[in-house]
Amino acid sequence: MLLFKLILSAAIAAALPTPESPEGNPSHPFSRTGLAPWNAGAVNQFPVHSSCNATQRRQIELGLNETIALAEHAQHHILRWKNESEIYRKYFGDRPSMEAIGAFDIVVNGDKKDVLFRCDNPDGNCGIEGYAGHWRGENGTDETVICDLSYQTRRSLSTMCGLGYTVSESETNIFWAADLLHRLYHVPAIGQNWIDHFADGYEEVIDQAKKNATLSTHDSETLQYFALEVYAYDIAVPGIGCPGVQHKHDEPHVDQTSEAVTGQPTPTATNTNAPSTTSEVSPNCHTHEGGELHCT
Ligand SMILES: *[C@@H]1O[C@H](CO)[C@@H](O)[C@H](O)[C@H]1NC(C)=O
Ligand SMILES: *[C@@H]1O[C@H](CO)[C@@H](O)[C@H](O)[C@H]1NC(C)=O
Ligand SMILES: *[C@@H]1O[C@H](CO)[C@@H](O)[C@H](O)[C@H]1NC(C)=O
Ligand SMILES: *[C@@H]1O[C@H](CO)[C@@H](O)[C@H](O)[C@H]1NC(C)=O
Ligand SMILES: *[C@@H]1O[C@H](CO)[C@@H](O)[C@H](O)[C@H]1NC(C)=O
C-alpha cells in the first residue's frame, strides 16, 4: 500500500509541470482514496492468536461463530417484535430498542480489529482452580485468554434446552456463545467501555428491568440472558423454550403467566438436574467489589 502510494505520487509528480502548491489540485485527495475501496483493511473474523493450536483455534472459532449466531438472532428478534415481545419487556422493561439492537449488531457486523483471543496463559491465571479464561484488563486491554477448562466445559448452542439447562437456573457461560459474548463486551473495541456489569445474575437482571431499566440495554448479563432466552424460545424449542422457574418480583403487574411458564410440560428431569448443573458451573463465577459478577 505504502509502496503503491509512493509510486503513485512519483507518477503524479512526474506528470505535474510545477511542484504541488498548497492550494493545488482539489481533486488530488479524492483520486487517492478512490483507488482503494472505502472499507479497505476491514477485519471480518475475530483474530485468534498463534498460541492457540489447531484444536483450540477450531473450538474458539466455532464458539465465536455461535456467538455471532446468538447475537444475530437476538437482534432479529428485536427488529421483528420490538417491545411487543414479552421476552423483550422482561429483560429491557420500557427501554427503546435501538441500544440493544446496536449491542448485538456490533458483534455481528462490527469490525473485528483490536480483539484477540489467545491460549498461552500470559498472566498465569489458568492455573487457578476453576479458571476458564479472562479479559486481560490493564495487561492487554484488547486481549482475552482462554484456558483449558473452557474446552472441557463449554457447550454448543445445539444443546440448548438439553442437559438440564434452563435460562433462569443455569449460568450463561455454560455456552461458548454467551461466554464469548460476555468476553467480547469486555474488550473496548466491542463493548466500548459502555456495556458493563450492572446487574449480577438472573434475578437482579429481571429486577433491573422492572425497577429502573435505564442500564439494562447496555448491561452485559441482561444482553446475554435475553439472547439465550429468545434463542431457546424461537429456535431451539419453538414456542416453548426453557425459561426455567420464574419468581414473582415486587411489582404487582408482573406477568402472572410466570407460574404458567413454570408449569409447562418440561420433563421433570429438567428440574432435578438443574441444581447440580448450576453448581457445577457456578464456581467459575465470582463477585467483584461493587457486585460485579465475573464468570471466567
Ligand atoms: C492443543 O493444546 C491442548 C492443551 O495443551 C492439548 O490438550 C491438545 O492436545 C493440543 N492439540 C493439538 C492438536 O496439538
Ligand atoms: C466460522 O464462520 C466463518 C464465516 O462464516 C467461516 O469461514 C469459518 O469456517 C467458520 N469457522 C468454523 C470453525 O466453523
Ligand atoms: C413500547 O414502545 C412504544 C413505542 O416506542 C411505546 O410507546 C410504549 O410505551 C412501549 N411499551 C412499553 C411497555 O415499554
Ligand atoms: C496482570 O499481570 C499481573 C502480573 O503478571 C498479574 O498479577 C495480574 O493478575 C494480571 N491481571 C489480569 C487481569 O490478569
Ligand atoms: C435509574 O438508573 C440511572 C442509572 O443508574 C440513574 O441515573 C437514574 O437516576 C435512575 N432512575 C431512577 C428513577 O431511579
Side-chain angles (χ1 to χ4, degrees):
M1 184 65 201
L2 181 62
L3 179 65
F4 188 61
K5 275 186 189 160
L6 285 173
I7 293 169
L8 178 72
S9 37
I12 289 171
L16 287 173
T18 51
E20 286 179 69
S21 59
E23 70 271 17
N25 179 356
S27 71
H28 185 76
F30 296 106
S31 59
R32 244 195 224 173
T33 53
L35 292 168
W38 69 270
N39 61 349
V43 178
N44 297 317
Q45 301 254 311
F46 288 112
V48 177
H49 191 243
S50 57
S51 61
C52 303
N53 70 25
T55 336
Q56 292 165 332
R57 168 180 298 270
R58 193 164 149 74
Q59 287 184 77
I60 292 171
E61 284 179 356
L62 275 169
L64 286 165
N65 282 6
E66 291 198 343
T67 299
I68 291 170
L70 182 72
E72 188 168 42
H73 179 69
Q75 182 187 34
H76 288 168
H77 181 99
I78 304 175
L79 288 168
R80 170 64 183 90
W81 298 110
K82 296 170 280 189
N83 68 9
E84 291 164 41
S85 161
E86 235 178 81
I87 304 177
Y88 183 88
R89 296 197 306 275
K90 172 177 170 181
Y91 287 98
F92 301 115
D94 60 1
R95 299 308 296 162
S97 60
M98 285 89 89
E99 188 169 53
I101 291 169
F104 292 121
D105 198 28
I106 196 165
V107 171
V108 179
N109 292 309
D111 196 89
K112 292 162 176 65
K113 179 163 61 69
D114 298 332
V115 178
L116 184 65
F117 287 87
R118 55 193 294 170
C119 305
D120 54 354
N121 190 17
D123 303 313
N125 292 341
C126 293
I128 300 170
E129 167 107 33
Y131 223 82
H134 66 286
W135 170 56
R136 296 194 68 206
E138 76 275 11
N139 293 345
T141 193
D142 298 344
E143 301 187 1
T144 300
V145 177
I146 301 295
C147 305
D148 285 351
L149 189 62
S150 283
Y151 310 109
Q152 294 155 17
T153 56
R154 302 292 181 239
R155 298 178 187 171
S156 159
L157 277 183
S158 64
T159 71
M160 175 56 79
C161 296
L163 305 170
Y165 173 83
T166 67
V167 178
S168 69
E169 295 155 296
S170 305
E171 298 294 342
T172 54
N173 70 0
I174 274 192
F175 295 102
W176 275 112
D179 180 56
L180 295 177
L181 182 63
H182 159 229
R183 296 187 188 286
L184 287 171
Y185 284 148
H186 276 295
V187 174
I190 304 293
Q192 302 188 356
N193 301 315
W194 180 247
I195 296 175
D196 207 338
H197 290 282
F198 304 108
D200 178 352
Y202 179 82
E203 298 296 334
E204 278 191 29
V205 160
I206 300 299
D207 279 344
Q208 178 173 256
K210 292 208 157 68
K211 291 189 182 130
N212 181 2
T214 315
L215 299 171
S216 66
T217 45
H218 58 117
D219 179 73
S220 177
E221 293 245 296
T222 305
L223 292 162
Q224 292 171 65
Y225 276 112
F226 171 79
L228 290 166
E229 187 155 338
V230 292
Y231 190 90
Y233 186 84
D234 292 339
I235 310 275
V237 190
I240 297 172
C242 44
V245 174
Q246 311 288 296
H247 294 133
K248 284 218 190 85
H249 290 260
D250 308 355
E251 219 175 66
H253 104 263
V254 173
D255 309 18
Q256 299 307 330
T257 55
S258 323
E259 297 301 306
V261 169
T262 317
Q264 268 171 5
T266 41
T268 45
T270 300
N271 288 332
T272 46
N273 287 347
S276 68
T277 308
T278 306
S279 59
E280 252 169 47
V281 177
S282 52
N284 295 341
C285 294
H286 52 269
T287 307
H288 288 273
E289 279 172 22
E292 187 175 303
L293 180 77
H294 213 115
C295 294
T296 54

